Amino acid sequence: MTSRLTYSMLFPRGWQQFPVDAAGEKQVSAAATKQARDVGRADVVAMIRQYTHQMFDRLRKQRAVAVHLPVGMSMTAPASLAVVPLVAGESTLDAAVVRAARGLTVERLDVDDTTWYRWVEPHSRVEDSTELTGTTLHYVIPRPGGPGEAGLHLVYTAIGLVGDEEIQQWIELGHTIVGSFQWRVRETAGP
């Protein structure tokens, strides 16, 4: 038996985890375009497919290993949570977090005898639209059992219409989901 470090989080009903590969992109695109396909809106289907492709392309460039999306809801919800490994390399995790935050204020949170990192990135415009706004919550959770050289960067993004107060509920949901994060050790058969 060998041990493998994984993680778990609690999500509301309707959220699913997808790999950040071509198969995952195809699954998300199919789920996100279902309503538009059902009512014969080929123009909307094409727009959603293009947005989904751009999102997965960005996730692959970030080297994300998974994305969690609320695709099982009656409508496509404006939120996502990407999981990206963060390796400090020759510096400390603290320095790697400061670099990743690109000048934004980083909070250090004492959680379960370790330090989590959090910063908030507001978006006054989304996808070059003056009607859409968004917020990205960034959390970095150090990998346990090591000298603190690696962790997971959880990137939760919520998008909404300018002035729509519902976006704040999506942001609070993001804090709640990330707050349920737990490292897990999974035993697997093998050498």
Side-chain angles (χ1 to χ4, degrees), residues 18-35:
F18 298 93
V20 184
D21 58 11
E25 181 179 339
K26 185 175 179 180
Q27 289 176 305
V28 170
S29 184
T33 58
K34 182 181 181 334
Q35 282 184 314

Side-chain angles (χ1 to χ4, degrees), residues 169-180:
Q169 294 171 348
W170 286 103
I171 293 167
E172 292 303 320
L173 177 61
H175 288 299
T176 302
I177 291 169
V178 173
S180 72

Side-chain angles (χ1 to χ4, degrees), residues 20-21 24-33 36 42-62 67-71 76-82 123 125-129 132-136 155-160 167:
V20 184
D21 58 11
E25 181 179 339
K26 185 175 179 180
Q27 289 176 305
V28 170
S29 184
T33 58
D43 58 329
V44 175
V45 169
M47 182 181 67
I48 292 171
R49 282 187 181 147
Q50 179 181 10
Y51 176 79
T52 301
H53 178 70
Q54 290 169 348
M55 178 181 74
F56 270 79
D57 193 44
R58 280 191 306 268
L59 290 168
R60 286 187 282 268
K61 286 178 182 170
Q62 294 173 342
V67 63
H68 301 262
L69 297 163
V71 297
T76 302
S80 66
L81 189 148
H123 308 285
R125 296 176 67 149
V126 176
E127 301 295 324
D128 295 323
S129 170
L132 292 176
T133 186
T135 299
T136 299
V155 184
Y156 179 90
T157 301
I159 297 170
I167 191 170

Side-chain angles (χ1 to χ4, degrees), residues 4-9 16-25 27-28 55-69 81-87 143 151-155 181 183:
R4 193 178 85 138
L5 188 62
T6 64
Y7 65 90
S8 67
M9 286 180 276
Q16 291 179 314
Q17 178 178 328
F18 298 93
V20 184
D21 58 11
E25 181 179 339
Q27 289 176 305
V28 170
M55 178 181 74
F56 270 79
D57 193 44
R58 280 191 306 268
L59 290 168
R60 286 187 282 268
K61 286 178 182 170
Q62 294 173 342
R63 296 189 178 114
V65 294
V67 63
H68 301 262
L69 297 163
L81 189 148
V83 180
V84 182
L86 181 64
V87 179
R143 180 183 173 99
L152 284 183
H153 182 182
L154 305 180
V155 184
F181 181 93
W183 286 106

Side-chain angles (χ1 to χ4, degrees), residues 85-97 99 117 140 147-151:
L86 181 64
V87 179
E90 294 183 20
S91 67
T92 65
L93 187 60
D94 195 71
V97 167
R99 261 193 323 277
Y117 302 87
V140 173
E149 78 290 347

